[in-house]
Every structure is written in C-alpha cells, then in structure tokens.
Amino acid sequence: MTDSILSKAATMEIPINSNGDSRTAEDDGFEQVVQLVKNDLQQVMVSGPNLNETSIVSGGYGGAAEGIIPTSSIKGPAIHVNPDYQHIRMITNGNGSSPSMHHSNSNPSMMSEEATKGVAVEKFDSMKKWSINTYKCTKQMFSERFGRGSKTVDMELEAQIDVLRETKMKYERILRLARELTNHFYNMVQTQQALGDTFADLSQKSPELQDEFGYNAETQRLLCKNGETLLGAINFFVSSINTLVNKTMEDTLMTIKMYENARLEFDAYRADLEELSVGPRDAAAMVRIEIAQQQYQIHKDKYERLHSDVSIKLKFLEENKVKVMHKQLLLFHNAVSAYFAGNQQQLEQTLRQFNVKLKPPGSDKPSWLEEQ
C-alpha cells in the first residue's frame, strides 16, 4: 500500500512558472495525495518497520533510481530535484511546514582522512623538490667530471681548503703517535714501579745486598715519580691536539662540505637558467625562465653566504692553530727534555708554567677517613 501511494506521489510533478507562482488546478489532487501519504506514514510508524532501517528511493516514473538516501540521516522532509525536467517532487511532513535538510559535517573519519591526505601531499611535494634538486646536481656533477660543464672556482679559497685537509691529516698522525707514546710510557712507568717495589722487598730480605737493592729501589721510585709527571704533560698535549683536530678543524670542514654542496647547487641552477635563456621565448618558456631565475637567486645567496662563512672560519682556525700549537709544542719539548735530563725541579716547573695540574699519587682511591 505504501509503495503504491509513494509511487503516485513520485509521479505527481509541480511545474515551476517563471514568476514563481506554482498554484494550478492540480494542487487539490496533490494535497489529497499528501494527506494519504501522511496517514500511511502514521500507520507505518505505529505498526510498520523502524524508519531508521529503511530508505527512500527517488526517481522518475518508470526510470532508474536517482539515489538511495538512508532515512536515519534525514530530519524532516526530503526534497528531490531532477535537473532534467526542472520539476520538484517533495514529500512533506504532516504539519505542512517548509522542507529542510540537516547535514552533519563533523565526521571524525572524514577529518582524519583529510589530515592524512594533507600529510601525504606535503611529503609528496618534499620528495618532488628533493628529486628535482638531486637530478640537477647529479647532472651538473657529471658534466663537470667529463668536462662538459662550467664550474665556479675561487682559487685562493680552494688552496686554503686543500692546505687545511692536508694539515688535518698530518695532525691526526701526530695525535696517533702521541697516544702510542703515552701508552708505551705508561706501561714503562708501571714496570718501573713494580721493579722498585721488588727491589725494596729484596733489600729487606737480603742483608748482604741490602744497600745495592736499596739504591736501585730508590732510583726506580724516582723515575716512576718523574714518569708520572711527564705522563701528565703528554696527556695534556694529547687532549689539546685532539680538541684542535676533531672539534675545531672538523667543524670548519663541515662548513666547507656545506659550502661545496651549495656551490654544486648554485652551478646546477645557473646552468639550468642559461639553458632556458637560449631557448624559445613563448609564454610557457617565460614562466619557466622566471621560476629558474628565482631558484638561481636563492642558491646564489646561499652559496655566497657559505663562501663568507668558510673564509672567516679558515682565518680564525689558522690563528687558533698557531696559538694552541705554540703552547703545546713548547710544553712537550720542555717536559721531555727535563725528564730525560733527570731535572725533577725543571719538570715540575714546566707543568706549573702551563697550568697542568697532576693528581697526587693515590688520589684516585679515597682514604679510610673519607670512606667513613
């Protein structure tokens, strides 16, 4: 029964006049149909299925369905517009009020999907820019290597960079040898200490050789004490060289690496702009040239900024290197000379002169009073 009434209601069409007056002789018949629909819907609500589980199918007479609208999303009447016939078919509510539609825009799944799409688009754009930049730089690098592309070169700065790299390799060798010397000398001092303790023990247990063992024990103890002082000086030397090589020089070389990458990018975008400039001058080409000009200017500014940073850091590095090495080489020379000359006072004075502080013997282990 309901399907027949809805079918009749769906076939009733109200033509819209140009002046907006839609009152015709068919209005009375339409109102009768509406009343029948009202009564039938009331019966369905009382004894029929739940409206939340049904759907309204709209469509022309004898034609295909235009859409299926779940009734759970409809609050009040529904309006179906068929643009092909410019007619309105409506199902009104019982009180004859104006039809209205309610839409819910706060769908969490839709918001999450939009956020995911935004992140994906952003990552895609980033990957696209990286791919274009990598392609241009790789092309420029191969062009320079095979002699087909031009390269921006600052001969004076490049010479300073080469000197720095060579100097760092030599200083790394000094650092490696100084560490080996420290390890070997530490083992020698430990051997001297053990030998002195053995001589002292034998001096107590061998009365006939007490004086001879005693002299040697005292000599080994003195050598061990002076060796520990020299080890303090060498450790200070190694620490300073390590800071100079692995921190100061390395920081400058990192800036140089950034500068070289910026130089390659600058030349890549410069070559791209030059290639576009000699091509056609149509509207599309002019747009590409303008974009290339902007990218060229961006990478030129970056290259010039890093060029200035490298020049400044090389200057300060040279001054710092001379200052540090002057002090450390003088310390190393005076300490080694005093030790092998057996001049204990000069050795201790050298350490005081360069503010090298040694831990007193046994300071690593607290006394029994400190442990209480």
Side-chain angles (χ1 to χ4, degrees), residues 1 4 18 33 36 60 62 110 133 142 204 218 221 237 239 243 250 265 292-293 298 300 327-328 349:
M1 176 180 175
S4 63
S18 60
V33 173
L36 291 174
M110 293 180 62
N133 185 74
F142 279 103
Q204 297 295 329
E218 188 65 24
R221 288 175 179 174
F237 175 82
S239 177
T243 301
E250 189 64 28
E265 292 178 351
Q293 180 68 36
I298 291 173
K300 179 182 179 182
K327 176 181 178 179
Q328 295 303 319
Q349 183 180 358

mmCIF file of all heavy atoms in Angstrom, residues 1 4 18 33 36 60 62 110 133 142 204 218 221 237 239 243 250 265 292-293 298 300 327-328 349:
data_model
loop_
_atom_site.group_PDB
_atom_site.id
_atom_site.type_symbol
_atom_site.label_atom_id
_atom_site.label_comp_id
_atom_site.label_asym_id
_atom_site.label_seq_id
_atom_site.Cartn_x
_atom_site.Cartn_y
_atom_site.Cartn_z
ATOM 1 N N MET A 1 0.825 -1.213 0.000
ATOM 2 C CA MET A 1 0.000 0.000 0.000
ATOM 3 C C MET A 1 0.852 1.252 0.000
ATOM 4 O O MET A 1 0.619 2.212 -0.706
ATOM 5 C CB MET A 1 -0.899 -0.022 1.240
ATOM 6 C CG MET A 1 -1.750 1.239 1.426
ATOM 7 S SD MET A 1 -2.762 1.097 2.896
ATOM 8 C CE MET A 1 -3.486 2.722 2.901
ATOM 9 N N SER A 4 2.538 1.845 -3.342
ATOM 10 C CA SER A 4 1.645 2.390 -4.378
ATOM 11 C C SER A 4 1.393 3.858 -4.169
ATOM 12 O O SER A 4 1.369 4.648 -5.113
ATOM 13 C CB SER A 4 0.331 1.599 -4.387
ATOM 14 O OG SER A 4 -0.348 1.766 -3.137
ATOM 15 N N SER A 18 7.727 30.883 -14.443
ATOM 16 C CA SER A 18 8.800 31.879 -14.428
ATOM 17 C C SER A 18 8.594 32.909 -13.362
ATOM 18 O O SER A 18 9.535 33.495 -12.852
ATOM 19 C CB SER A 18 8.916 32.558 -15.809
ATOM 20 O OG SER A 18 7.680 33.194 -16.116
ATOM 21 N N VAL A 33 -3.126 13.622 -2.186
ATOM 22 C CA VAL A 33 -2.065 12.608 -2.145
ATOM 23 C C VAL A 33 -1.205 12.782 -0.918
ATOM 24 O O VAL A 33 -0.802 11.832 -0.244
ATOM 25 C CB VAL A 33 -1.216 12.674 -3.428
ATOM 26 C CG1 VAL A 33 -0.020 11.734 -3.311
ATOM 27 C CG2 VAL A 33 -2.082 12.287 -4.626
ATOM 28 N N LEU A 36 -2.932 11.385 2.034
ATOM 29 C CA LEU A 36 -2.833 9.927 2.045
ATOM 30 C C LEU A 36 -1.452 9.458 2.510
ATOM 31 O O LEU A 36 -1.324 8.502 3.256
ATOM 32 C CB LEU A 36 -3.127 9.380 0.640
ATOM 33 C CG LEU A 36 -4.574 9.521 0.141
ATOM 34 C CD1 LEU A 36 -4.671 9.067 -1.308
ATOM 35 C CD2 LEU A 36 -5.516 8.711 1.009
ATOM 36 N N GLY A 60 12.245 9.122 -11.344
ATOM 37 C CA GLY A 60 11.128 9.467 -12.225
ATOM 38 C C GLY A 60 10.238 8.262 -12.479
ATOM 39 O O GLY A 60 10.565 7.120 -12.162
ATOM 40 N N GLY A 62 8.905 5.267 -13.962
ATOM 41 C CA GLY A 62 9.401 4.259 -14.884
ATOM 42 C C GLY A 62 10.878 4.385 -15.176
ATOM 43 O O GLY A 62 11.390 3.672 -16.011
ATOM 44 N N MET A 110 36.173 11.440 8.308
ATOM 45 C CA MET A 110 36.474 12.330 7.181
ATOM 46 C C MET A 110 37.577 13.307 7.544
ATOM 47 O O MET A 110 38.474 13.582 6.730
ATOM 48 C CB MET A 110 35.211 13.083 6.777
ATOM 49 C CG MET A 110 34.121 12.196 6.177
ATOM 50 S SD MET A 110 32.652 13.119 5.720
ATOM 51 C CE MET A 110 33.337 14.207 4.478
ATOM 52 N N ASN A 133 66.036 18.543 -7.298
ATOM 53 C CA ASN A 133 67.328 19.098 -6.893
ATOM 54 C C ASN A 133 68.442 18.062 -7.067
ATOM 55 O O ASN A 133 69.541 18.391 -7.534
ATOM 56 C CB ASN A 133 67.245 19.565 -5.439
ATOM 57 C CG ASN A 133 68.509 20.270 -4.987
ATOM 58 O OD1 ASN A 133 68.784 21.401 -5.365
ATOM 59 N ND2 ASN A 133 69.281 19.604 -4.155
ATOM 60 N N PHE A 142 78.265 15.284 -13.102
ATOM 61 C CA PHE A 142 78.802 14.510 -14.225
ATOM 62 C C PHE A 142 79.292 15.418 -15.349
ATOM 63 O O PHE A 142 80.287 15.104 -16.016
ATOM 64 C CB PHE A 142 77.734 13.547 -14.755
ATOM 65 C CG PHE A 142 77.611 12.288 -13.945
ATOM 66 C CD1 PHE A 142 76.568 12.115 -13.061
ATOM 67 C CD2 PHE A 142 78.552 11.281 -14.068
ATOM 68 C CE1 PHE A 142 76.449 10.953 -12.310
ATOM 69 C CE2 PHE A 142 78.448 10.115 -13.325
ATOM 70 C CZ PHE A 142 77.390 9.960 -12.440
ATOM 71 N N GLN A 204 115.016 -5.838 52.084
ATOM 72 C CA GLN A 204 114.686 -6.226 53.452
ATOM 73 C C GLN A 204 115.017 -7.694 53.721
ATOM 74 O O GLN A 204 115.340 -8.056 54.862
ATOM 75 C CB GLN A 204 113.181 -6.004 53.688
ATOM 76 C CG GLN A 204 112.743 -4.563 53.566
ATOM 77 C CD GLN A 204 113.357 -3.679 54.638
ATOM 78 O OE1 GLN A 204 113.632 -4.125 55.776
ATOM 79 N NE2 GLN A 204 113.612 -2.423 54.284
ATOM 80 N N GLU A 218 115.320 2.979 45.194
ATOM 81 C CA GLU A 218 115.121 4.427 45.262
ATOM 82 C C GLU A 218 115.182 5.060 43.866
ATOM 83 O O GLU A 218 114.390 5.971 43.542
ATOM 84 C CB GLU A 218 116.190 5.044 46.160
ATOM 85 C CG GLU A 218 115.995 6.510 46.461
ATOM 86 C CD GLU A 218 114.742 6.789 47.269
ATOM 87 O OE1 GLU A 218 114.269 5.876 47.970
ATOM 88 O OE2 GLU A 218 114.221 7.920 47.177
ATOM 89 N N ARG A 221 111.913 4.312 42.014
ATOM 90 C CA ARG A 221 110.815 5.113 42.543
ATOM 91 C C ARG A 221 110.902 6.552 42.051
ATOM 92 O O ARG A 221 109.869 7.165 41.737
ATOM 93 C CB ARG A 221 110.845 5.077 44.068
ATOM 94 C CG ARG A 221 110.424 3.739 44.655
ATOM 95 C CD ARG A 221 110.595 3.711 46.154
ATOM 96 N NE ARG A 221 110.173 2.431 46.715
ATOM 97 C CZ ARG A 221 110.337 2.097 48.007
ATOM 98 N NH1 ARG A 221 110.929 2.956 48.855
ATOM 99 N NH2 ARG A 221 109.932 0.912 48.438
ATOM 100 N N PHE A 237 99.004 17.421 26.348
ATOM 101 C CA PHE A 237 99.342 17.655 24.942
ATOM 102 C C PHE A 237 98.372 16.904 24.024
ATOM 103 O O PHE A 237 97.839 17.471 23.054
ATOM 104 C CB PHE A 237 100.788 17.208 24.702
ATOM 105 C CG PHE A 237 101.234 17.288 23.275
ATOM 106 C CD1 PHE A 237 101.662 18.483 22.725
ATOM 107 C CD2 PHE A 237 101.231 16.151 22.474
ATOM 108 C CE1 PHE A 237 102.072 18.555 21.400
ATOM 109 C CE2 PHE A 237 101.646 16.217 21.152
ATOM 110 C CZ PHE A 237 102.063 17.413 20.617
ATOM 111 N N SER A 239 95.334 15.800 24.717
ATOM 112 C CA SER A 239 93.986 16.340 24.832
ATOM 113 C C SER A 239 93.824 17.614 24.001
ATOM 114 O O SER A 239 92.807 17.802 23.330
ATOM 115 C CB SER A 239 93.664 16.616 26.300
ATOM 116 O OG SER A 239 92.399 17.209 26.437
ATOM 117 N N THR A 243 91.382 18.102 20.662
ATOM 118 C CA THR A 243 90.366 19.156 20.539
ATOM 119 C C THR A 243 90.564 19.948 19.251
ATOM 120 O O THR A 243 89.598 20.271 18.545
ATOM 121 C CB THR A 243 90.428 20.091 21.750
ATOM 122 O OG1 THR A 243 90.214 19.332 22.945
ATOM 123 C CG2 THR A 243 89.379 21.183 21.654
ATOM 124 N N GLU A 250 87.380 19.915 12.476
ATOM 125 C CA GLU A 250 86.236 19.177 11.948
ATOM 126 C C GLU A 250 85.038 20.101 11.742
ATOM 127 O O GLU A 250 84.288 19.955 10.776
ATOM 128 C CB GLU A 250 85.869 18.034 12.898
ATOM 129 C CG GLU A 250 84.840 17.077 12.351
ATOM 130 C CD GLU A 250 85.327 16.329 11.129
ATOM 131 O OE1 GLU A 250 86.543 16.111 10.991
ATOM 132 O OE2 GLU A 250 84.468 15.954 10.291
ATOM 133 N N GLU A 265 74.989 23.112 -6.171
ATOM 134 C CA GLU A 265 73.600 23.505 -6.440
ATOM 135 C C GLU A 265 73.550 24.821 -7.214
ATOM 136 O O GLU A 265 72.749 24.967 -8.142
ATOM 137 C CB GLU A 265 72.837 23.635 -5.124
ATOM 138 C CG GLU A 265 72.611 22.311 -4.405
ATOM 139 C CD GLU A 265 71.893 22.515 -3.087
ATOM 140 O OE1 GLU A 265 71.728 23.690 -2.671
ATOM 141 O OE2 GLU A 265 71.476 21.508 -2.460
ATOM 142 N N ALA A 292 63.116 29.655 -12.874
ATOM 143 C CA ALA A 292 64.539 29.320 -12.815
ATOM 144 C C ALA A 292 65.363 30.484 -12.286
ATOM 145 O O ALA A 292 66.344 30.286 -11.546
ATOM 146 C CB ALA A 292 65.030 28.913 -14.201
ATOM 147 N N GLN A 293 64.979 31.714 -12.633
ATOM 148 C CA GLN A 293 65.674 32.893 -12.128
ATOM 149 C C GLN A 293 65.528 33.009 -10.611
ATOM 150 O O GLN A 293 66.501 33.335 -9.905
ATOM 151 C CB GLN A 293 65.109 34.152 -12.804
ATOM 152 C CG GLN A 293 65.763 35.450 -12.361
ATOM 153 C CD GLN A 293 67.208 35.546 -12.822
ATOM 154 O OE1 GLN A 293 67.549 35.097 -13.906
ATOM 155 N NE2 GLN A 293 68.052 36.152 -11.991
ATOM 156 N N ILE A 298 68.088 32.247 -5.204
ATOM 157 C CA ILE A 298 68.085 31.624 -3.876
ATOM 158 C C ILE A 298 69.388 30.873 -3.627
ATOM 159 O O ILE A 298 70.030 31.019 -2.571
ATOM 160 C CB ILE A 298 66.873 30.681 -3.735
ATOM 161 C CG1 ILE A 298 65.571 31.489 -3.697
ATOM 162 C CG2 ILE A 298 66.996 29.820 -2.476
ATOM 163 C CD1 ILE A 298 64.325 30.632 -3.729
ATOM 164 N N LYS A 300 72.202 31.247 -5.230
ATOM 165 C CA LYS A 300 73.339 32.163 -5.272
ATOM 166 C C LYS A 300 73.559 32.810 -3.915
ATOM 167 O O LYS A 300 74.705 32.925 -3.440
ATOM 168 C CB LYS A 300 73.096 33.240 -6.339
ATOM 169 C CG LYS A 300 74.230 34.249 -6.440
ATOM 170 C CD LYS A 300 73.920 35.311 -7.482
ATOM 171 C CE LYS A 300 75.058 36.332 -7.552
ATOM 172 N NZ LYS A 300 74.756 37.414 -8.531
ATOM 173 N N LYS A 327 101.923 26.831 22.243
ATOM 174 C CA LYS A 327 101.927 26.481 23.662
ATOM 175 C C LYS A 327 102.201 24.990 23.862
ATOM 176 O O LYS A 327 103.032 24.607 24.709
ATOM 177 C CB LYS A 327 100.575 26.854 24.272
ATOM 178 C CG LYS A 327 100.426 26.452 25.719
ATOM 179 C CD LYS A 327 99.047 26.842 26.240
ATOM 180 C CE LYS A 327 98.870 26.393 27.686
ATOM 181 N NZ LYS A 327 97.537 26.776 28.229
ATOM 182 N N GLN A 328 101.545 24.138 23.095
ATOM 183 C CA GLN A 328 101.666 22.705 23.300
ATOM 184 C C GLN A 328 103.043 22.172 22.904
ATOM 185 O O GLN A 328 103.597 21.288 23.579
ATOM 186 C CB GLN A 328 100.572 21.978 22.516
ATOM 187 C CG GLN A 328 99.166 22.281 22.996
ATOM 188 C CD GLN A 328 98.986 21.963 24.471
ATOM 189 O OE1 GLN A 328 99.469 20.943 24.962
ATOM 190 N NE2 GLN A 328 98.301 22.844 25.185
ATOM 191 N N GLN A 349 108.419 22.572 37.281
ATOM 192 C CA GLN A 349 108.229 23.988 36.941
ATOM 193 C C GLN A 349 107.559 24.143 35.572
ATOM 194 O O GLN A 349 106.749 25.049 35.358
ATOM 195 C CB GLN A 349 109.578 24.707 36.948
ATOM 196 C CG GLN A 349 109.474 26.198 36.668
ATOM 197 C CD GLN A 349 110.834 26.885 36.679
ATOM 198 O OE1 GLN A 349 111.868 26.245 36.940
ATOM 199 N NE2 GLN A 349 110.855 28.172 36.393
#
